[in-house]
Amino acid sequence: MAAFIAKQMVGNQLSAVKGGDGGGDGDDKEKAEEEERERQEAIREAEERRKEKHRKMEEEREKMRQDIRDKYNIKKKEEIVEAMPQEEPNPLMRKKKTPEELAAEAEQEELDDFTKLKNQIETQVNELKTQIEGKCVMQ
């Protein structure tokens, strides 16, 4: 990788000093595009090697952690976190409601008020009906 980059830097400076023939602009563009593709490929390949190296290191670390857990009979933190009871949420740290949520809650409260009022009126009407039916006797 380092040799490739060094070659690119020195090669570009060397071609600038030589001067070139001046008539091969199309050929120079093709070469530049090919060099750019090679450079991008080298960068991608280096990134893949780096990721693979870090993945292997993390696997080794996790294996070592698991060996220590097994040796000392320690559970993973994730298992401990799940087993812990939920504490009361702090009211100052609660999730803020959006205006849409507030509007939906207000509408629900209005509906609740309407249903309460409706039920109250219905009970009063039924009571009046029973009173009237009791006083009126059909002959």
Side-chain angles (χ1 to χ4, degrees):
M1 174 72 183
F4 176 76
I5 293 174
K7 179 181 174 188
Q8 290 295 321
M9 290 178 9
V10 172
N12 289 340
Q13 291 174 354
L14 186 60
S15 65
V17 171
K18 285 182 180 177
D21 55 358
D25 287 340
D27 191 37
D28 289 342
K29 288 181 182 178
E30 289 176 10
K31 284 183 181 179
E33 289 175 4
E34 180 63 30
E35 289 173 357
E36 181 64 21
R37 281 192 293 262
E38 289 175 2
R39 187 181 70 80
Q40 292 294 334
E41 179 66 26
I43 290 171
R44 187 187 58 77
E45 196 173 293
E47 183 68 17
E48 288 176 3
R49 284 194 305 262
R50 184 191 68 79
K51 286 181 180 180
E52 182 64 23
K53 176 184 168 188
H54 286 282
R55 186 188 62 78
K56 286 180 182 178
M57 285 174 36
E58 189 58 35
E59 284 178 359
E60 291 172 4
R61 288 178 184 153
E62 186 58 36
K63 183 181 180 296
M64 190 180 302
R65 290 183 198 116
Q66 189 60 44
D67 290 343
I68 292 170
R69 283 188 212 109
D70 292 342
K71 181 178 178 181
Y72 295 106
N73 198 19
I74 299 172
K75 294 182 182 178
K76 268 186 151 177
K77 280 187 176 181
E78 298 160 350
E79 296 172 359
I80 295 171
V81 169
E82 293 174 356
M84 289 176 35
Q86 293 288 334
E87 295 182 15
E88 275 297 312
N90 186 351
L92 297 177
M93 300 301 289
R94 72 179 186 276
K95 181 181 172 262
K96 303 293 188 259
K97 294 181 181 174
T98 63
E100 292 82 18
E101 291 173 332
L102 292 172
E105 284 182 5
E107 184 178 327
Q108 188 64 31
E109 288 177 6
E110 287 177 12
L111 289 176
D112 290 342
D113 291 340
F114 288 134
T115 55
K116 288 177 185 175
L117 184 61
K118 177 184 160 195
N119 290 338
Q120 186 180 11
I121 291 173
E122 285 177 353
T123 55
Q124 289 177 355
V125 168
N126 288 335
E127 288 175 5
L128 286 173
K129 280 184 182 179
T130 56
Q131 287 175 0
I132 293 173
E133 288 175 355
K135 291 182 180 177
C136 294
V137 177
M138 297 289 270
Q139 293 184 4

